[in-house]
Amino acid sequence: MSDKQDQRPSNNLAEQVMARLSADIRGGRLAPGARLPTEQALTAELGVSRTVVREAVAALRADGLVVTRRGSGAYVADPAAGPFRIAASTDTTLDDILSVMELRRAVEVEAAALAAERASRRQVAAMRTAWRSIDAALKRGEGAVAEDFTFHRTIAEATGNDQFPRFLAYLGGHVIPRQSVRLSVDTPAERRAYLERIQHEHARIVSAISDGDVVEARRAMREHLTRSLERYRALAGGKNTHSGGSSHGRR
Amino acid sequence: MSDKQDQRPSNNLAEQVMARLSADIRGGRLAPGARLPTEQALTAELGVSRTVVREAVAALRADGLVVTRRGSGAYVADPAAGPFRIAASTDTTLDDILSVMELRRAVEVEAAALAAERASRRQVAAMRTAWRSIDAALKRGEGAVAEDFTFHRTIAEATGNDQFPRFLAYLGGHVIPRQSVRLSVDTPAERRAYLERIQHEHARIVSAISDGDVVEARRAMREHLTRSLERYRALAGGKNTHSGGSSHGRR
DNA sequence: TTTCTAAAGTTGTCTGACAACTTTTCTGAC
DNA sequence: GTCAGAAAAGTTGTCAGACAACTTTAGAAA
């Protein structure tokens, strides 16, 4: 339930066919391992040319939903495991961004802890270099969003687990671009104070990681990202205590 | 660096063309917003038919890497944000699974904390129901992997943040299937003892969430998943202290 | 300079054909 | 009756050509 698809008419026939087949697969009407109708059958059933059907199947194959075997047919992929993606359409609300930021916080807090356990001297040095880059950008009066992202990436890389930087990079594309909005609402003085506090938080994170202090690294990163979240939440109007929306009285 | 692609010859021309274009985009040779070569140009340059080129572009469009405008051309999508996916090819190593499990732990530990803050009475009841389903399955002598997954999903849903269950569902497809391996190496007695301990851990997690005890919920979930990780790590031969592989002496 | 029109360029769709490969069916020997 | 091999049918992969729908550019006219 609640898949939130882009359900526009899509003047593209191939996309319509793809949406149809994709729904059949995710809806369970086509079980994993089952064979799709032949291209000929689909052209007849849907009233489109084979070109369109083939492009639709190519798209499904790119999403990992089906595999094709020449001479045999197209089959639903085993774990029906399409890629993970975040809506990222035009109707992204502030609540959507908060949801993604919470997910990001979960990953980065743990990344800081793992980095404190595992970071090499060289990786810690990379963090300090990234920190100084932010400082330099701030002194130039810039927002330093790219430098900030690089800083967080160096921590993710220090986990020794490639999934962390990869996932962070993915999330970054969905959160970072809007940070300019956040910064633009303040006066220059407020903004400068804010950015300096951020840098101080960054420094504490690096210190903890450098010391191998897992607990403190986690705490510092959590505080850093939680403040970022709170700031966003305030922007949302303060009426939501969390991204869920609907209230539910417990206790 | 270190992208770890499936670089098999791939007897499918369209996939080769797609890989080529995909690399051009991710490698920055085609900047966001830039126009791709026309289909005609690609057919000439790559020596393939227009059918092949069109299928490749359709695949890229499905991945969100390009958008096409009829009569105008194909353009690199703005945030160049393809979907997040985990390798999941045939050559998945134990280290790969450990990497994913660490990412999962990061997300689920935070999910338990958020659930402790936000879960409604109904959602807590759903957790207890899922817990009893595991119990019933164990009494029937089953492995209860599906029930276990449902249990964890109820917690993710109780965060009120849709990203958590969605991401967990995605990761589940890459980790859960292999749990059968884990269970098959034990004697029935060992296995039973293990599963009962798991259930005890589950119960502590639910209690903490039900009490609204954020710290304890986090701790219980972390302990639960860390033990799972350690078990896997032992299987890997114990020679790796973490998934990174290469050693790097610090301190 | 501005505006309208025509032309060229580009993607979207259809049709037909053949190659490469897999699955099924048929045939013949035992 | 059973099995092995060959033939046939079925299916995806690739190529080629054509036209429709739409966009961009170039040119003509005011």
Side-chain angles (χ1 to χ4, degrees):
Chain A
M1 51 177 153
S2 77
D3 222 305
K4 196 179 197 179
Q5 300 272 45
D6 310 58
Q7 209 64 11
R8 59 188 170 196
S10 167
N11 53 17
N12 187 332
L13 274 183
E15 279 188 12
Q16 291 176 242
V17 173
M18 177 194 158
R20 152 75 186 269
L21 291 175
S22 178
D24 281 351
I25 292 174
R26 289 188 224 269
R29 286 178 292 284
L30 285 172
R35 210 185 90 173
L36 270 68
T38 66
E39 294 176 356
Q40 199 180 11
L42 286 172
T43 58
E45 180 187 348
L46 304 175
V48 296
S49 74
R50 203 184 150 205
T51 305
V52 170
V53 171
R54 282 195 60 79
E55 281 186 27
V57 172
L60 292 175
R61 197 177 42 204
D63 268 359
L65 265 65
V66 306
V67 293
T68 57
R69 287 211 298 273
R70 177 206 205 93
S72 175
Y75 300 83
V76 178
D78 263 330
F84 178 76
R85 46 173 34 131
I86 291 167
S89 49
T90 54
D91 63 335
T92 309
T93 70
L94 253 165
D95 265 7
D96 291 336
I97 297 176
L98 284 172
S99 296
V100 175
M101 286 180 77
E102 281 188 348
L103 189 59
R104 182 189 159 189
R105 180 177 58 177
V107 172
E108 287 216 60
V109 166
E110 185 71 4
L114 292 175
E117 276 182 15
R118 303 171 179 169
S120 68
R121 273 189 287 262
R122 184 165 305 180
Q123 286 167 328
V124 172
M127 292 175 211
R128 293 219 165 89
T129 300
W131 187 89
R132 279 191 294 269
S133 290
I134 300 177
D135 233 36
L138 294 186
K139 282 192 170 51
R140 289 196 304 272
E142 300 171 6
V145 286
E147 288 84 356
D148 181 83
F149 190 68
T150 299
F151 174 78
H152 283 266
R153 181 166 48 79
T154 59
I155 294 175
E157 282 170 352
T159 61
N161 180 341
D162 197 43
Q163 300 298 340
F164 279 87
R166 291 206 328 116
F167 188 58
L168 183 62
Y170 173 68
L171 289 186
H174 290 273
V175 176
I176 295 288
R178 342 263 172 171
Q179 282 195 337
S180 52
V181 180
R182 173 177 79 187
L183 296 174
S184 61
V185 297
D186 303 320
T187 67
E190 283 176 332
R191 178 181 160 187
R192 180 178 179 82
Y194 168 69
L195 291 173
E196 279 176 357
R197 201 189 64 195
I198 293 286
Q199 267 299 73
H200 187 241
E201 291 173 3
H202 282 167
R204 296 186 66 170
I205 294 169
V206 175
S207 289
I209 292 175
S210 176
D211 294 346
D213 188 337
V214 174
V215 172
E216 171 62 15
R218 224 189 308 259
R219 195 205 60 71
M221 180 64 89
R222 174 176 301 283
E223 183 180 326
H224 176 54
L225 294 176
T226 299
R227 284 191 176 169
S228 189
L229 255 168
E230 295 298 344
R231 213 176 143 83
Y232 241 95
R233 214 165 263 160
L235 262 191
K239 62 179 185 294
N240 293 333
T241 56
H242 71 271
S243 66
S246 64
S247 61
H248 49 247
R250 179 161 72 101
R251 255 183 296 285
Chain B
M1 50 178 145
S2 78
D3 222 307
K4 197 180 197 178
Q5 301 271 47
D6 310 59
Q7 208 65 10
R8 59 190 170 193
S10 167
N11 52 18
N12 188 333
L13 275 183
E15 280 189 11
Q16 290 175 241
V17 173
M18 177 192 158
R20 153 74 185 271
L21 291 175
S22 178
D24 280 351
I25 293 173
R26 287 188 226 270
R29 285 177 292 282
L30 286 172
R35 211 183 89 172
L36 270 66
T38 66
E39 295 176 354
Q40 199 180 12
L42 286 172
T43 59
E45 181 187 348
L46 303 175
V48 296
S49 74
R50 202 182 151 207
T51 306
V52 170
V53 171
R54 282 196 59 79
E55 282 185 25
V57 172
L60 291 175
R61 197 176 44 205
D63 268 0
L65 265 65
V66 306
V67 294
T68 57
R69 288 211 300 273
R70 181 212 205 86
S72 177
Y75 300 82
V76 179
D78 263 331
F84 178 75
R85 50 176 25 137
I86 292 167
S89 49
T90 53
D91 62 338
T92 311
T93 69
L94 253 165
D95 265 5
D96 291 335
I97 297 177
L98 285 173
S99 297
V100 175
M101 287 180 75
E102 281 188 349
L103 188 59
R104 183 189 158 188
R105 179 177 60 177
V107 172
E108 287 216 59
V109 165
E110 185 70 5
L114 291 176
E117 276 182 15
R118 304 170 180 171
S120 67
R121 273 189 287 263
R122 184 165 304 181
Q123 286 167 328
V124 172
M127 292 176 210
R128 293 218 165 89
T129 301
W131 187 88
R132 279 190 294 271
S133 290
I134 300 177
D135 232 37
L138 293 186
K139 281 190 171 52
R140 289 196 304 273
E142 299 171 9
V145 285
E147 287 85 356
D148 181 82
F149 190 67
T150 298
F151 173 77
H152 284 267
R153 181 166 47 77
T154 60
I155 294 175
E157 282 169 352
T159 61
N161 179 338
D162 197 44
Q163 300 299 341
F164 279 88
R166 290 205 330 114
F167 187 59
L168 183 61
Y170 173 68
L171 289 186
H174 290 273
V175 176
I176 294 288
R178 342 265 172 169
Q179 283 196 337
S180 53
V181 179
R182 174 178 78 186
L183 297 174
S184 63
V185 297
D186 303 320
T187 68
E190 284 177 332
R191 178 181 160 188
R192 181 177 179 82
Y194 169 69
L195 291 173
E196 280 176 356
R197 201 189 63 194
I198 294 287
Q199 266 299 73
H200 186 241
E201 292 173 4
H202 282 167
R204 297 186 65 171
I205 295 169
V206 175
S207 289
I209 292 175
S210 176
D211 294 346
D213 188 337
V214 174
V215 173
E216 171 62 13
R218 220 187 313 254
R219 196 205 58 74
M221 179 64 90
R222 175 176 300 283
E223 182 180 327
H224 176 54
L225 294 176
T226 298
R227 284 192 177 170
S228 190
L229 255 168
E230 295 298 343
R231 215 177 141 83
Y232 242 94
R233 216 164 260 162
L235 264 189
K239 62 178 185 297
N240 292 334
T241 57
H242 71 271
S243 66
S246 63
S247 59
H248 49 247
R250 180 161 70 101
R251 251 181 301 282

